[in-house]
Amino acid sequence: MGFIKTQRRTTMAGSNTNNSWDRIQAGVRNTERLIRQKDYNSAMVKARQTVEFMVRALIGQTGSMDDDDLKDMIDALYQNRQITKASCDRYHKIRMMGNKAAHEGDNSASNANLAFHLLSQEIAVFSNDYLNRRRGSSRNSSRPVSSRQPASRQPASRSSRNGRRRYQKRRRRRFSPYDLMKLLIPVVCIALVVFVIRLIKPKTDEAESSSAAVVSTEATTGVTVSPTEPPTEPVTDPSTEPSQPVYRTTDTLNVRSAPSTESNRLGKLNAGVTVEYVRSENDEWAVILYDGQEAYVASQYLTTQ
């Protein structure tokens, strides 16, 4: 009996859906016909009326508010997420153009064509969303619903769960060689790192100790000791040294203590005697070594060889 009542309600809902859809399709066709007849004012009014049919059909689908104000109903559909923002804007544009045509006598061809274009877009969205949702709900309501599940399935499902759990536990208990390798690899890596650090650390300690000893030695003495080499005497080639001129007397020559003929006479040199020339005192006198001391002779009586 309950199934028969459900079937009747489904049939009534389907008939209401078909009636709404027929009225909407008729409104679209009439809008297009009025535009062809260049009755643009009536076309915009008919487009608004068709939008109102669509809005009331969507509201009746969810059982939400059913108001006489088309603007409030469109906003309610958008707030309840039954239509998108784009659909909400199109509905309002068609509504405003229809109101302008009804109350202000607008007979613009561009507005009428725009209203029909927007209406055609929303018809496609409406047919994909509203009608498919209606068909799905009618199928679900037509199916008899049983309150109980078959008792024979419960033991089978319970046993399958228990078997699955036991199998998972056995898999967890297994310890494969791969798991052992995963544990050993980090330990081996750590041991290698420690070994390398111990090899490197003694060398660095020795280098630091030797450098510290050198620094401490320099700090205490204040002098940096460097290996000394014995001085090497320059080797001179006798052939490269300039030869000194040899001075000889050309005549018997007096040796005096000062560059003057009135000074004391220290001695006399014969002609052809070699003298130790020191320097020239002036144009007339020259300085020589005589008995280990400087003495003066007339330079005009000296000649070089």
Side-chain angles (χ1 to χ4, degrees):
M1 188 68 180
F3 175 73
I4 295 173
K5 290 181 179 179
T6 304
Q7 188 68 27
R8 287 178 180 175
R9 285 196 298 268
T10 304
T11 305
M12 293 175 64
S15 62
N16 292 331
T17 302
N18 293 332
N19 291 333
S20 299
W21 178 239
D22 292 340
R23 293 170 65 184
I24 292 168
Q25 285 183 319
V28 175
R29 288 194 298 268
N30 290 332
T31 302
E32 185 179 9
R33 178 180 56 81
L34 291 171
I35 290 175
R36 289 177 182 175
Q37 295 175 359
K38 297 184 180 181
D39 189 358
Y40 303 121
N41 183 275
S42 300
M44 286 184 281
V45 173
K46 180 58 69 174
R48 182 195 181 282
Q49 185 181 10
T50 306
V51 166
E52 187 174 357
F53 291 156
M54 295 165 62
V55 170
R56 291 187 182 278
L58 291 172
I59 288 178
Q61 187 179 21
T62 57
S64 57
M65 61 169 285
D66 189 359
D67 196 357
D68 291 335
D69 191 358
L70 180 59
K71 179 180 180 299
D72 294 339
M73 288 190 290
I74 294 173
D75 292 337
L77 289 176
Y78 174 66
Q79 291 174 0
N80 294 332
R81 297 182 179 179
Q82 290 180 257
I83 59 174
T84 62
K85 178 64 176 173
S87 296
C88 180
D89 293 339
R90 293 189 190 106
Y91 284 169
H92 280 304
K93 286 181 181 179
I94 297 172
R95 176 186 63 81
M96 288 187 291
M97 285 188 287
N99 290 340
K100 187 176 181 181
H103 300 293
E104 299 179 10
D106 184 21
N107 195 31
S108 173
S110 59
N111 290 340
N113 288 319
L114 178 60
F116 179 72
H117 176 69
L118 297 175
L119 182 62
S120 301
Q121 290 180 342
E122 288 306 314
I123 284 295
V125 177
F126 183 85
S127 61
N128 291 331
D129 186 15
Y130 175 76
L131 295 179
N132 291 334
R133 192 180 302 172
R134 275 293 189 180
R135 289 167 186 168
S137 62
S138 63
R139 290 195 195 99
N140 294 331
S141 61
S142 62
R143 292 178 183 175
V145 180
S146 59
S147 60
R148 293 183 180 179
Q149 296 290 338
S152 59
R153 292 183 181 178
Q154 294 180 358
S157 61
R158 190 176 301 167
S159 61
S160 63
R161 289 196 209 99
N162 293 333
R164 193 180 301 111
R165 289 173 184 172
R166 285 195 297 270
Y167 176 71
Q168 291 176 354
K169 288 181 180 179
R170 285 197 299 269
R171 288 191 62 186
R172 291 173 185 171
R173 290 173 185 172
R174 292 178 182 176
F175 194 76
S176 63
Y178 178 71
D179 297 331
L180 181 61
M181 289 178 62
K182 288 197 296 184
L183 293 175
L184 289 178
I185 287 174
V187 176
V188 173
C189 292
I190 294 172
L192 287 175
V193 171
V194 172
F195 179 72
V196 171
I197 291 174
R198 288 186 177 181
L199 286 178
I200 296 173
K201 191 173 181 181
K203 296 181 181 180
T204 56
D205 293 340
E206 291 177 1
E208 290 177 357
S209 61
S210 61
S211 61
V214 171
V215 171
S216 61
T217 303
E218 292 180 355
T220 54
T221 59
V223 178
T224 303
V225 179
S226 60
T228 58
E229 295 181 357
T232 57
E233 296 181 357
V235 179
T236 58
D237 189 1
S239 61
T240 59
E241 293 182 355
S243 59
Q244 296 291 334
V246 178
Y247 288 86
R248 294 179 183 277
T249 59
T250 59
D251 198 355
T252 301
L253 191 62
N254 292 322
V255 180
R256 297 185 181 275
S257 61
S260 175
T261 55
E262 296 179 355
S263 61
N264 296 329
R265 190 177 70 174
L266 300 177
K268 184 173 68 173
L269 297 174
N270 295 323
V273 176
T274 302
V275 297
E276 294 183 18
Y277 183 84
V278 177
R279 65 179 181 277
S280 176
E281 181 68 18
N282 51 35
D283 294 339
E284 296 180 356
W285 297 92
V287 181
I288 64 171
L289 288 178
Y290 183 77
D291 292 339
Q293 61 180 357
E294 291 185 356
Y296 297 90
V297 294
S299 59
Q300 61 179 344
Y301 298 106
L302 294 177
T303 183
T304 59
Q305 293 182 354

